[in-house]
Amino acid sequence: MISSENKLLQKVWQVKLKAKDCDYYGSTQGIIPIFLNTLHRIAAIDPKLKEVAYTTYGLSPWGMMTRVYLPSATPSIFVGMRLGLSYCWRSLVAAKLLGASKGIGYLIQEGREMAQTDLMLVGVFLIGLIGLIAMKKKILNS
């Protein structure tokens, strides 16, 4: 007899991600690095610079935002966007592999569900081989 917690675990492992869920999951992974990099840079602005901009130039809050905060934080925003894009891409690829209904991701999932380790390893090595070929082509074309 199967216990209720084993039934729950079986249900959890049988969940398949839909394409819309994969896209949502992949796109949300990039928000945090952008936000944290921007927040860190704004917090690190020299207080003297803010004081001079506010008292000497008499900038309004909008002026402070456009003339002090945004120009100072722009490099960090771009770094956050670069990191965020790589996180999005990585999580999107992983989610698409797990939620696939055909292709290499499906081969890996089918091997996992049927406890066929050799099938899973073939899929993993195939992905690695494709990555290696793509990397060599990029190096040769450079």
Side-chain angles (χ1 to χ4, degrees):
M1 184 167 171
I2 299 175
S3 68
S4 61
E5 59 188 33
N6 285 343
K7 287 181 183 179
L8 178 66
L9 286 174
Q10 285 179 346
K11 292 287 184 192
V12 168
W13 283 110
Q14 291 174 355
V15 170
K16 294 281 187 180
L17 295 173
K18 297 179 183 137
K20 187 170 53 172
D21 297 334
C22 294
D23 295 340
Y24 175 74
Y25 176 72
S27 64
T28 57
Q29 296 301 307
I31 295 170
I32 293 172
I34 297 169
F35 175 74
L36 289 178
N37 275 316
T38 305
L39 186 67
H40 173 71
R41 183 59 194 144
I42 288 175
I45 293 175
D46 187 15
K48 291 179 184 177
L49 178 65
K50 291 190 278 188
E51 181 183 346
V52 166
Y54 186 72
T55 58
T56 306
Y57 293 118
L59 292 178
S60 65
W62 177 252
M64 291 285 287
M65 177 66 82
T66 58
R67 303 266 176 129
V68 178
Y69 294 128
L70 190 60
S72 180
T74 300
S76 292
I77 292 171
F78 281 114
V79 168
M81 288 171 60
R82 184 176 177 187
L83 287 172
L85 182 62
S86 68
Y87 291 166
C88 285
W89 184 253
R90 208 174 342 177
S91 61
L92 182 66
V93 167
K96 290 285 187 183
L97 278 173
L98 292 175
S101 60
K102 57 184 174 183
I104 300 173
Y106 181 73
L107 179 75
I108 294 171
Q109 284 294 355
E110 191 69 22
R112 183 186 64 82
E113 289 174 4
M114 299 297 173
Q116 295 177 328
T117 310
D118 55 340
L119 197 60
M120 289 172 49
L121 288 176
V122 165
V124 170
F125 285 132
L126 191 58
I127 290 172
L129 183 65
I130 291 170
L132 185 66
I133 290 170
M135 211 166 64
K136 286 199 181 237
K137 279 189 175 184
K138 183 179 179 182
I139 290 171
L140 291 176
N141 289 336
S142 296

